[in-house]
C-alpha cells in the first residue's frame, strides 16, 4: 500500500464504556498534528460531522455487538471500510460485560433492573464473530501510543507492529520489582500480551490482564502459581477470566 | 402532531436521541431517549467478592471511571466498617480532582467550544491554531496526568482498592506535576473566557429542576454523607432512594428520578454552595448554558486544590500506611459523591462471606433526564422549526450528559 496524506475514518462505538474513543482524544499533544491528517466522520462523541454512505479508509470499532441494530450498522460499515479495526477488550472478546452471562440469567437480570421486557438484546459478541478484522488494538482501554503507532504506520503505507511477548518482558526492562514472585501478588503479567510498557506494575499495581492472552500463554502454569499464593480456584478463575470473554 | 427526531446526539458521551413533537408550528412534547444497549453490570457484581467490584464497575464509564471506582470502594468500606488511612484519602481526592479537570476540559473545549466557534469538532480549530482550543487541550492533559499519577492510569485507574489505595505517586513525578501546575493561574482566565456570560449562547429561559448536590463536611468538596437541596433542605445520603424515587421508562434504557425534577452537576453545586454560605448564587443570564460557566469556575478551584494536595502528598512520610485490611463480613453501605456531571450514588449489600447480594447505582445523567426534557420544552418554545434540532443538541450538551453511565444502573433486590 502506498503512503497516504490523509485518512478518512469513522469511529463507531457499540456496547462499551467509551474508554477506547476517549483514549484517542487523550492524545492531547498529538491532536493538532492528527487534525491535519485525519478526517473524522461518524465519531459522535467528538464531532457532529456525519457521512452515512461514502467510502472510508479506516473504520474503528469500539464495543461488542449486543443488538440486531448494531449488527446491521457493523455490516454497513464493513462494506464501506478499506480497513476495519477492532479496538479494546469489548470489541475483541466481549469485555467485562460478557461476565454477565447469557440465557435465562440475562433475561432475569434485564427484568429485575429495568422492570420491563422491552430491551431486546443478546449477550456481548466480539466483532470478529460477524465480520473479518484487518487489525486489532487490545487493552481496556488501549494505550494512547497504540493509536499513534497505528495512524503513523497506515499513513506510511505500512501496518502497526504488535508485540508477541508478555507484559513481563516490558516490566523487566523497566526494572520493576516482580509483583508475582517477589511481592507475591496475583499478577497476570506472564500470560498477558505486552504493549502497555507494563503500565500497572510500574505504578506498583498488579497486571489484571486487560490486553488479553499473549500468544502461547501458559495459562496452566499461571493457574498453578496463583494456587501457590493461596488463592481459591474460584478467585483465580474470576481474575483470569475478567477480560477473556464468554468462552470461559 | 409531527415528530422530529434529533439523532444521533453528537458531542455527548453515549448514544441518545431527542424526539420533538411539533403541532401547529409549536413544540408540544419532548422526549429524551437514551438507547445504549443494556450492559447488566449487576450480572457482573452479584455473587462476586467485594474485592473484585471496584475494578469491574469503573468500566461503567470511561470519563467517570475514577469517581465510579472511588464510589464503589467507599460504599464497600462503609459496608465492611473499614476506615481508610488519611494518606489514601488524599490520593483518592487527587484522583477525583484529576477526573474533574479532565472531564470539564473535555466538555468545555472539545464538546462546547466547537458550538461557540461554529465548527463540527475541535479538529478544524486545531488546524487554524485556535489558542483557546490549544490551551484547553493542555488543561485536559493536565487532568489526565493527575489521574495517571494518583490512579496509575487515566481511564480505569488501578490503584484504588477496598481499604485504601495500593500505591502512592512517586515524589519526582509529583514535583514535576507541581511545576506543570505552576503557570496555570495566569493562563486560566484567557482560556476560560469563552464560557462565561457569553453572548454566543442561544437564548434561554430560567433553569428548571431543584439543585441537588453532595454536602462535604470540609466546605467545598466532592464527597460527603449529606445531600443538599436548592430549597435549603438537607437529606441523609444513605436515604437517597426515598428522595429520588427512581423508575424505568418505556422509552429509555436509563432509569429516571421521578421525585424531582432535580438538577445536578456544576451549576447545582455552585448554587447550593452559595446558599450554604449564606450568599446569593451568581446571577444567571445564560439559563442551562451557565452550567458551562460553573464548570469553568470549578476548573479554577480544582487546579488550586490539586496544588495543595500535591504539596501535602510530598510532605507525607515514606512509610505512612495506604491500606487498611478489611475484615470480611456482611454489611450494607452507600456512597454519595460528585461526579463531574453531578451526584453519583453507589449502594451495596454484602452477605456474610463478603459477596455482593444487592447493588444499586444512580448516575447524574439519569437524575437530570426529567429536568432536561422540561428545559428543552421551555427553551425551544420560541424557536423556529428549522433551528429546533440544533437548539436541542446545544441544550442537551449543556448538561454534559454521560449516557453510558445513565443506562448501567444496577438494582437487584
Amino acid at each position: 500500500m502506498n503512503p497516504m496524506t490523509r485518512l478518512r475514518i469513522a469511529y463507531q462505538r457499540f456496547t462499551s464504556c467509551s474508554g477506547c474513543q476517549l483514549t484517542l482524544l487523550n492524545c492531547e499533544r498529538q491532536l493538532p498534528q492528527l487534525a491535519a491528517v485525519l478526517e473524522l466522520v461518524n465519531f459522535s462523541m467528538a464531532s457532529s460531522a456525519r457521512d452515512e454512505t461514502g467510502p472510508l479508509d479506516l473504520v474503528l470499532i469500539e464495543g461488542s455487538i449486543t443488538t440486531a441494530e448494531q449488527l446491521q450498522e457493523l455490516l454497513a460499515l464493513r462494506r464501506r471500510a478499506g480497513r476495519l479495526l477492532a479496538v479494546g477488550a469489548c470489541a475483541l472478546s466481549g469485555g467485562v460485560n460478557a461476565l454477565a452471562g447469557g440465557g435465562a440469567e440475562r433475561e432475569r437480570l434485564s427484568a429485575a433492573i429495568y422492570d420491563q421486557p422491552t430491551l431486546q438484546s443478546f449477550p456481548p459478541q466480539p466483532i470478529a464473530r460477524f465480520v473479518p478484522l484487518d487489525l486489532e488494538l487490545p487493552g481496556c482501554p488501549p494505550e494512547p501510543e497504540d493509536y499513534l503507532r497505528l495512524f503513523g504506520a497506515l499513513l506510511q503505507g505500512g501496518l502497526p507492529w504488535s508485540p508477541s511477548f508478555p507484559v513481563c518482558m516490558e516490566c523487566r526492562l523497566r526494572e520493576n520489582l516482580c509483583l508475582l514472585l517477589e511481592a507475591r501478588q496475583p499478577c497476570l503479567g506472564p500470560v498477558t500480551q505486552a504493549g502497555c510498557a507494563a503500565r500497572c506494575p510500574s505504578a506498583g499495581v498488579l497486571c489484571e490482564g486487560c490486553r488479553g492472552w499473549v500468544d502461547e500463554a501458559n495459562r496452566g502454569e499461571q493457574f498453578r502459581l496463583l494456587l501457590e499464593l493461596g488463592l481459591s480456584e474460584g478467585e483465580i478463575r474470576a481474575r483470569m477470566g475478567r477480560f477473556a470473554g464468554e468462552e470461559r | 402532531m409531527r415528530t422530529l427526531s434529533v439523532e444521533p446526539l453528537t458531542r455527548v458521551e453515549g448514544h441518545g436521541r431527542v424526539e420533538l413533537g411539533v403541532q401547529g408550528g409549536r413544540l408540544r412534547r419532548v422526549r429524551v431517549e437514551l438507547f445504549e444497549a443494556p450492559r447488566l453490570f449487576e450480572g457482573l457484581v452479584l455473587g462476586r467478592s467485594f474485592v473484585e467490584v471496584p475494578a469491574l464497575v469503573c468500566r461503567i464509564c470511561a470519563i467517570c471511571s475514577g469517581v465510579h471506582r472511588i464510589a464503589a470502594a467507599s460504599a464497600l468500606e462503609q459496608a465492611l466498617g473499614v476506615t481508610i488511612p488519611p494518606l489514601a484519602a488524599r490520593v483518592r481526592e487527587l484522583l477525583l480532582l484529576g477526573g474533574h479537570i479532565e472531564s470539564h476540559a473535555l466538555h468545555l473545549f472539545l464538546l462546547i467550544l466547537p458550538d461557540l466557534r461554529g465548527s463540527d469538532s475541535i479538529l478544524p480549530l486545531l488546524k487554524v491554531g485556535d489558542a483557546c482550543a490549544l490551551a484547553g487541550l493542555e488543561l485536559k492533559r493536565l487532568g489526565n496526568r493527575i489521574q495517571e499519577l494518583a490512579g496509575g492510569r487515566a481511564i480505569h485507574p488501578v490503584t484504588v482498592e477496598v481499604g485504601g489505595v495500593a500505591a502512592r505517586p512517586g515524589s519526582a513525578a509529583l514535583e514535576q506535576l507541581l511545576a506543570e501546575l505552576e503557570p496555570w493561574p495566569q493562563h486560566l482566565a484567557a482560556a476560560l473566557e469563552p464560557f462565561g456570560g457569553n453572548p454566543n449562547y442561544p437564548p434561554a429561559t430560567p433553569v428548571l429542576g431543584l439543585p441537588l448536590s453532595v454536602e462535604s463536611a470540609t466546605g467545598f468538596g466532592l464527597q460527603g454523607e449529606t445531600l443538599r437541596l436548592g430549597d435549603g433542605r438537607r437529606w441523609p445520603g444513605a436515604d437517597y432512594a426515598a428522595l429520588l424515587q427512581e423508575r424505568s421508562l418505556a422509552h429509555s434504557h436509563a432509569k429516571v428520578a421521578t421525585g424531582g425534577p432535580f438538577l445536578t452537576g456544576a451549576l447545582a453545586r455552585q448554587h447550593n454552595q452559595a446558599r450554604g454560605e449564606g450568599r446569593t448564587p451568581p446571577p444567571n443570564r445564560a439559563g442551562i448554558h451557565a452550567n458551562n460557566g460553573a464548570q469553568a469556575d470549578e476548573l479554577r478551584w480544582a487546579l488550586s486544590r490539586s496544588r495543595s494536595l500535591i504539596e501535602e502528598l510530598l510532605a507525607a512520610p515514606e512509610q505512612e500506611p495506604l491500606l487498611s485490611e478489611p475484615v470480611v463480613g456482611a454489611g450494607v453501605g452507600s456512597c454519595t459523591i460528585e461526579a463531574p456531571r453531578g451526584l453519583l450514588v453507589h449502594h451495596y449489600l454484602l452477605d456474610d462471606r463478603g459477596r455482593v447480594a444487592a447493588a444499586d447505582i444512580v448516575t447524574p445523567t439519569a437524575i437530570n433526564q426529567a429536568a432536561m426534557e422540561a428545559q428543552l420544552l421551555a427553551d425551544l418554545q420560541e424557536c423556529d422549526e428549522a433551528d429546533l434540532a440544533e437548539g436541542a443538541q446545544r441544550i442537551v450538551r449543556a448538561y454534559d450528559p454521560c449516557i453510558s453511565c445513565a443506562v448501567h444502573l444496577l438494582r437487584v433486590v
Side-chain angles (χ1 to χ4, degrees):
Chain A
M1 196 175 158
N2 296 322
M4 304 172 78
T5 51
R6 202 166 164 75
L7 283 174
R8 184 172 166 78
I9 69 172
Y11 202 152
Q12 178 69 42
R13 181 174 76 86
F14 294 117
T15 299
S16 66
C17 74
S18 295
C20 300
Q21 294 195 336
L22 184 59
T23 299
L24 174 53
L25 300 180
N26 281 354
C27 300
E28 290 98 355
R29 291 247 162 114
Q30 292 79 26
L31 276 186
Q33 220 181 324
L34 290 174
V37 289
L38 299 185
E39 184 189 348
L40 294 182
V41 294
N42 304 30
F43 184 179
S44 65
M45 181 157 92
S47 172
S48 303
R50 303 289 299 173
D51 170 9
E52 310 295 348
T53 52
L56 298 159
D57 297 316
L58 179 67
V59 170
L60 297 93
I61 305 284
E62 168 183 344
S64 62
I65 299 295
T66 62
T67 68
E69 293 75 32
Q70 292 177 341
L71 179 54
Q72 291 297 330
E73 275 184 73
L74 174 66
L75 295 174
L77 283 168
R78 176 67 269 191
R79 285 192 285 271
R80 296 168 59 195
R83 285 205 166 95
L84 188 126
L85 164 74
V87 187
C90 295
L92 293 172
S93 75
V96 294
N97 296 118
L99 298 173
E105 176 64 5
R106 187 173 171 86
E107 282 172 26
R108 191 188 67 73
L109 284 167
S110 222
I113 303 156
Y114 296 104
D115 312 320
Q116 54 178 325
T118 58
L119 308 174
Q120 299 290 330
S121 71
F122 45 80
Q125 305 294 318
I127 300 303
R129 183 145 296 166
F130 306 108
V131 295
L133 295 182
D134 300 303
L135 292 158
E136 301 181 357
L137 284 191
C140 184
E143 293 294 315
E145 290 75 14
D146 285 324
Y147 283 109
L148 303 178
R149 273 195 294 268
L150 168 81
F151 295 134
L154 289 178
L155 286 162
Q156 294 301 317
L159 291 172
W161 171 78
S162 89
S164 55
F165 47 80
V167 169
C168 296
M169 298 278 281
E170 293 175 326
C171 201
R172 282 329 221 177
L173 283 172
R174 292 187 69 168
E175 303 185 357
N176 296 326
L177 172 89
C178 177
L179 293 174
L180 180 64
L181 300 177
E182 292 169 270
R184 303 194 59 75
Q185 293 177 21
C187 182
L188 296 185
V191 286
T192 302
Q193 187 179 329
C196 55
R199 174 183 282 280
C200 298
S202 303
V205 180
L206 56 81
C207 170
E208 57 177 348
C210 82
R211 292 179 75 89
W213 305 125
V214 66
D215 293 347
E216 299 176 43
N218 192 342
R219 293 189 238 168
E221 180 62 8
Q222 177 78 25
F223 202 98
R224 196 189 61 74
L225 280 168
L226 298 189
L227 275 176
E228 262 181 24
L229 293 181
L231 272 70
S232 72
E233 288 187 13
E235 285 172 303
I236 299 172
R237 271 194 295 273
R239 281 185 185 276
M240 292 180 68
R242 186 173 291 173
F243 298 99
E246 40 137 32
E247 55 169 333
R248 300 154 54 80
Chain B
M1 185 154 44
R2 286 174 306 115
T3 301
L4 188 69
S5 187
V6 184
E7 179 185 3
L9 295 173
T10 58
R11 277 182 279 123
V12 295
E13 192 285 329
H15 300 309
R17 99 181 124 227
V18 174
E19 295 214 328
L20 304 168
V22 183
Q23 196 171 35
R26 279 183 70 93
L27 183 65
R28 303 282 179 189
R29 194 178 58 86
V30 172
R31 219 154 77 159
V32 175
E33 305 199 0
L34 311 178
F35 53 86
E36 291 269 333
R39 288 161 69 204
L40 302 178
F41 266 86
E42 58 287 278
L44 322 186
V45 296
L46 262 198
R48 284 180 190 268
S49 158
F50 70 89
V51 178
E52 286 185 75
V53 173
L56 292 176
V57 297
C58 78
R59 264 109 185 164
I60 288 173
C61 169
I63 305 176
C64 323
S65 56
V67 65
H68 271 294
R69 189 155 181 153
I70 291 170
S74 303
L76 291 162
E77 282 149 8
Q78 195 183 66
L80 296 165
V82 191
T83 306
I84 66 168
L87 185 58
R90 287 200 198 96
V91 175
R92 285 186 184 184
E93 191 188 348
L94 187 62
L95 175 59
L96 277 180
L97 290 167
H100 226 71
I101 295 167
E102 194 281 331
S103 180
H104 281 3
L106 172 74
H107 183 238
L108 292 176
F109 297 96
L110 275 78
L111 312 187
I112 296 294
L113 188 65
D115 279 333
L116 303 181
R117 301 278 202 261
S119 170
D120 280 337
S121 76
I122 194 176
L123 295 191
L125 307 181
L126 296 175
K127 273 203 267 188
V128 297
D130 185 303
C132 184
L134 289 164
L137 279 181
E138 276 302 303
L139 209 49
K140 179 176 174 316
R141 181 184 161 276
L142 199 56
N144 275 332
R145 278 298 295 150
I146 295 175
Q147 293 193 94
E148 276 184 343
L149 280 187
R153 183 156 69 176
I155 298 171
H156 307 324
V158 291
T159 58
V160 177
E161 290 182 3
V162 178
V165 294
R168 65 187 276 183
S171 295
L174 283 176
E175 298 274 10
Q176 201 189 337
L177 188 57
L178 207 52
E180 282 190 54
L181 280 163
E182 200 69 41
W184 271 101
Q186 293 102 285
H187 307 322
L188 214 47
L192 297 176
E193 190 275 326
F195 308 104
N198 192 287
N200 289 338
Y201 290 130
T205 58
V207 178
L208 301 172
L210 184 63
L212 170 66
S213 61
V214 171
E215 185 179 72
S216 159
T218 56
F220 191 60
L222 297 172
Q223 194 170 353
E225 293 184 357
T226 306
L227 301 177
R228 182 183 276 280
L229 290 130
D231 55 13
R233 275 185 296 160
R234 297 164 84 225
W235 195 279
D239 272 346
Y240 70 92
L243 183 69
L244 297 174
Q245 298 167 31
E246 269 198 331
R247 65 183 172 89
S248 19
L249 288 182
H251 65 264
S252 175
H253 292 191
K255 291 194 290 192
V256 296
T258 54
F262 296 106
L263 174 75
T264 189
L267 189 59
R269 286 191 288 264
Q270 191 177 57
H271 181 278
N272 288 351
Q273 170 72 6
R275 285 281 306 256
E277 291 171 0
R279 289 185 287 118
T280 312
N284 174 7
R285 284 176 291 275
I288 191 59
H289 303 283
N291 194 42
N292 300 321
Q295 288 182 327
D297 290 340
E298 284 193 343
L299 278 173
R300 295 187 183 92
W301 161 79
L303 285 174
S304 112
R305 177 74 191 131
S306 298
R307 280 179 61 168
S308 342
L309 262 178
I310 292 166
E311 278 161 5
E312 286 177 36
L313 288 175
L314 281 168
E318 199 59 47
Q319 61 282 8
E320 214 179 307
L322 291 166
L323 266 175
S324 313
E325 192 66 40
V327 180
V328 178
V332 59
S334 56
C335 169
T336 45
I337 194 164
E338 289 289 343
R341 47 204 46 71
L343 173 65
L344 171 69
V345 186
H346 276 233
H347 174 88
Y348 300 94
L349 174 69
L350 297 180
D351 69 13
D352 55 0
R353 289 167 65 187
R355 293 173 309 193
V356 178
D360 188 20
I361 295 181
V362 187
T363 61
T365 300
I367 295 172
N368 275 335
Q369 194 178 345
M372 200 187 289
E373 288 181 343
Q375 195 77 52
L376 282 159
L377 192 59
D379 275 14
L380 296 176
Q381 277 306 309
E382 305 301 323
C383 186
D384 287 342
E385 198 175 323
D387 303 325
L388 273 179
E390 174 66 10
Q393 290 264 16
R394 291 188 69 175
I395 293 164
V396 171
R397 265 176 218 137
Y399 287 87
D400 193 10
C402 198
I403 302 173
S404 62
C405 270
V407 295
H408 304 128
L409 298 161
L410 336 166
R411 189 186 57 200
V412 178
V413 269

